[in-house]
Amino acid sequence: MTTMPGWTVRRYQTDGVRGVEVLAPDGTPQFLVTVDFGSTAPGKLGKFFDSLFRDGRVPGDRPCIVTPVDGVPVECAPLKKSPFRRRSHTRTLYLAGREYRYVHRTDRRAMVLRDGEVIARLHRTWQWGRFSRRGTFDDPGFTATTVSPWDRVDEGVVFLYGTVIGPPGREGAIGYFGQELGSGF
C-alpha cells in the first residue's frame, strides 16, 4: 500500500480562474482542476460555493474541468445525476488517449480502471473528518494498492481521483437518504 508520497495539491488562482493544481513529486504541475460556478447553483445555503478552492475537492459530485499541463481541457462528470446509487458516482476521464474510470465499490473503497483494466484499488483512511473532507491539503486521505504497472500519467490520475475528484467510496441509497434527512434540519 502506498500513500503516494510527493504528490500534492495546491490552490490556483489567476485572472479570475480559481481551482486547484495537482503537482508531481518533482514539483511540476500535472493538472489544473476547475468548476464553473456561473452555470451551477450553489448547494444548500451556499455551503458548497467555491469549495474546490477552499477545500481542494470538487463539491457535491459536480462536473469539473481537468486540464493536463500539456493538453486539452476535459470534462469529468458523474455518470448519472441520481445520487442514490454508488454507480451513479462513476466518473470517466479521457487523457493521453486512454479512458480512466473511477468506480466506487463500498462506502470506503474505490478502484481506478484504465481502458477497462483495474490499475489501482483505493481505500479511504480513517483520519478523514466529517463528510469525507480532509483537514489540510497536505493529507491526501487515502491509500492506493497498485494492481498493474503505472506510468506517470496513471499515477497522476490515481492521485487526482483520490484527492480532488472525490474520496474513495460513496454511501449507498440508505446512507445518502439519511444524510439528506439530517442535513435538512
Side-chain angles (χ1 to χ4, degrees):
M1 289 237 223
T2 180
T3 56
M4 303 190 70
W7 286 89
T8 56
V9 177
R10 74 174 178 200
R11 290 177 179 94
Y12 175 86
Q13 181 173 0
T14 183
D15 298 329
V17 175
R18 290 173 62 136
V20 294
E21 275 184 318
V22 174
L23 305 172
D26 61 2
T28 59
Q30 296 299 303
F31 304 107
L32 170 64
V33 182
T34 57
V35 174
D36 181 13
F37 286 100
S39 64
T40 59
K44 294 179 185 171
L45 301 175
K47 69 180 179 180
F48 292 127
F49 189 75
D50 213 11
S51 66
L52 174 65
F53 185 73
R54 188 178 62 244
D55 300 330
R57 183 164 309 286
V58 174
D61 291 323
R62 294 195 183 189
C64 63
I65 304 297
V66 176
T67 307
V69 83
D70 58 352
V72 180
V74 179
E75 185 179 49
C76 184
L79 183 65
K80 295 182 181 177
K81 303 248 184 231
S82 169
F84 298 109
R85 311 266 330 244
R86 276 190 194 101
R87 70 176 159 198
S88 296
H89 296 282
T90 297
R91 288 185 179 250
T92 304
L93 189 60
Y94 296 97
L95 289 173
R98 305 173 192 166
E99 177 191 61
Y100 290 96
R101 280 193 174 244
Y102 188 42
V103 181
H104 302 282
R105 305 307 291 170
T106 68
D107 64 338
R108 300 189 67 77
R109 297 178 193 274
M111 58 187 185
V112 178
L113 292 86
R114 177 189 61 218
D115 296 326
E117 175 189 345
V118 177
I119 61 169
R121 297 187 194 288
L122 281 61
H123 184 268
R124 188 181 325 171
T125 55
W126 290 102
Q127 52 275 44
W128 280 59
R130 186 172 176 221
F131 302 117
S132 303
R133 302 287 181 204
R134 64 181 180 273
T136 66
F137 277 84
D138 299 330
D139 178 21
F142 73 95
T143 56
T145 304
T146 306
V147 178
S148 65
W150 292 351
D151 62 9
R152 188 174 178 93
V153 176
D154 294 341
E155 191 173 357
V157 169
V158 168
F159 187 78
L160 171 73
Y161 273 144
T163 55
V164 178
I165 302 297
R170 288 284 190 250
E171 293 291 331
I174 295 171
Y176 182 82
F177 186 66
Q179 284 181 357
E180 286 297 306
L181 283 177
S183 67
F185 297 109

